[in-house]
Amino acid sequence: MKIIRKAAGMRSFSESERRKGKRIAFVPTMGYLHEGHLSLLRRARKIGDTTVMSIFINPLQFGPGEDFKRYPRAMKRDLMLAKREGCHAVFIPGSGEMYPAGEKTRVEVPGLSDVLCGKTRKGHFVGVTTVVAKLLNAVNPHFLILGRKDVQQAVIIERMVKDLRFAAKVVVCPTVREKGGLALSSRNKYLSEREKSDARVLFRALSLGKRLVRDGEKSARVIKANMKRLIGRYQSIDLEYVSIVHPKSLEEIRTIKGDAIIALAARVRKARLIDNVLARPKR
Ligand code: PAF
């Protein structure tokens, strides 16, 4: 497994793979890998010939007071896991490589970036789209593999890839969950066992919302009220939002007529957690 630290090195590796007729599948990460990331690497191996993963904790997507400094890191373990999953190359640029002195350009997808998590995490998605654009330029993959847990991120990146005519096909993979339903996230590391057990209510609430939609409830207000009541039983959980939105436009839905994303964000002490499900009325 190759370790590549420079964008130019990454590009020449990709060019040489492409010359050999290999299809490159790329999984961008911020490291501290868990089963969710590994499922993305497995998908990459399945659909591509050459798997590339990046590890870069992107300072630009963290706001002031967020957890950039304490974001969990485990480089040695990550590399061991990536190798075990058959990854061919890991791109590990430093901050100076991604944001050299004097660079100024930002990539923004307005609208989609301002709703849901974008309301409280100002500038977060500009950080995400800017770094993903830079990573795509370096890796030049055939496939870009993302997780559905970060559904807003996936929708925004799909839009950016389309608008900027990147050649990569975006592949969005299912959320991987612990036994009790808690979505896997590197930030679960911040939770105690007790907090983890409390946090499972988030998926129970999403499942309740999904059930209500399936059983014919059309009012988003009623569904959200039921979910909030359930989450409200847990003092340790500070709910930031529950929203029901259109899967592509991310516009808030009031009356449910077709597929909808039910998404939420909550703070459980030091951890800000997000999760979502796709809800479908029975036809
Ligand atoms: O989902 C993440 O880990 C990050 O937002 C990403 C896509 C690697 C960009 O830094």
Side-chain angles (χ1 to χ4, degrees):
M1 186 175 77
K2 268 189 178 317
I3 307 290
I4 303 171
R5 297 186 188 274
K6 300 282 178 207
M10 186 65 246
R11 216 166 296 135
S12 63
F13 174 79
S14 288
E15 275 163 16
S16 109
E17 292 299 288
R18 278 174 170 266
R19 272 196 302 275
K20 291 183 221 157
K22 309 272 191 197
R23 285 158 72 79
I24 300 165
F26 172 47
V27 180
T29 82
M30 298 207 296
Y32 205 71
L33 303 186
H34 51 65
E35 266 305 312
H37 297 111
L38 303 187
S39 75
L40 303 183
L41 289 174
R42 284 172 204 142
R43 175 67 82 91
R45 278 218 71 182
K46 215 174 245 171
I47 61 179
D49 307 302
T50 303
T51 303
V52 176
M53 179 179 85
S54 64
I55 301 178
F56 178 62
I57 305 180
N58 173 31
L60 201 63
Q61 68 188 77
F62 291 80
E66 290 189 357
D67 56 345
F68 174 63
K69 284 221 172 89
R70 66 189 171 96
Y71 195 84
R73 290 155 165 88
M75 187 58 84
K76 243 172 117 178
R77 183 174 164 274
D78 288 350
L79 294 178
M80 187 268 287
L81 290 171
K83 193 168 177 188
R84 207 171 72 190
E85 292 302 333
C87 200
H88 297 90
V90 185
F91 180 39
I92 315 175
S95 272
E97 183 67 7
M98 296 307 274
Y99 301 108
E103 68 91 46
K104 288 196 178 351
T105 305
R106 296 292 172 260
V107 179
E108 185 174 5
V109 183
L112 293 175
S113 301
D114 307 319
V115 296
L116 303 173
C117 292
K119 278 190 191 162
T120 49
R121 299 192 76 191
K122 299 279 177 219
H124 166 68
F125 289 111
V126 174
V128 171
T129 37
T130 300
V131 83
V132 173
K134 286 174 185 255
L135 290 168
L136 286 173
N137 276 332
V139 179
N140 191 18
H142 296 81
F143 302 104
L144 170 64
I145 323 263
L146 301 170
R148 189 170 298 284
K149 184 181 78 73
D150 299 291
V151 68
Q152 183 173 13
Q153 168 172 286
V155 169
I156 291 170
I157 291 174
E158 273 180 329
R159 184 76 252 169
M160 175 194 79
V161 162
K162 198 164 180 197
D163 290 352
L164 297 186
R165 306 246 197 301
F166 282 109
K169 176 176 165 29
V170 179
V171 177
V172 184
C173 302
T175 303
V176 179
R177 301 180 180 282
E178 287 183 2
K179 242 197 197 140
L182 180 64
L184 294 190
S185 160
S186 303
R187 289 188 167 102
N188 291 355
K189 179 181 164 34
Y190 302 147
L191 301 173
S192 66
E193 280 311 309
R194 176 65 203 268
E195 288 160 350
K196 247 189 203 174
S197 144
D198 287 358
R200 291 187 188 125
V201 75
L202 300 176
F203 182 60
R204 287 207 298 281
L206 288 167
S207 305
L208 168 66
K210 189 176 167 121
R211 228 167 26 243
L212 288 169
V213 171
R214 190 199 56 206
D215 294 347
E217 180 56 66
K218 300 232 172 309
S219 163
R221 190 181 52 76
V222 169
I223 294 162
K224 288 189 278 189
N226 275 282
M227 293 174 63
K228 283 180 189 169
R229 203 170 309 122
L230 178 58
I231 296 169
R233 291 190 202 150
Y234 291 80
Q235 283 193 342
S236 55
I237 298 184
D238 186 6
L239 188 64
E240 192 180 290
Y241 69 77
V242 180
S243 288
I244 304 186
V245 297
H246 185 276
K248 287 285 168 230
S249 70
L250 301 183
E251 274 166 21
E252 203 74 39
I253 295 174
R254 290 167 78 168
T255 307
I256 296 160
K257 295 179 187 141
D259 288 2
I261 299 281
I262 311 182
L264 56 76
R267 265 179 200 289
V268 186
R269 207 170 60 99
K270 278 200 257 164
R272 182 180 183 279
L273 305 179
I274 55 171
D275 200 354
N276 71 87
V277 291
L278 176 69
R280 289 211 145 116
K282 215 192 256 164
R283 292 181 205 280

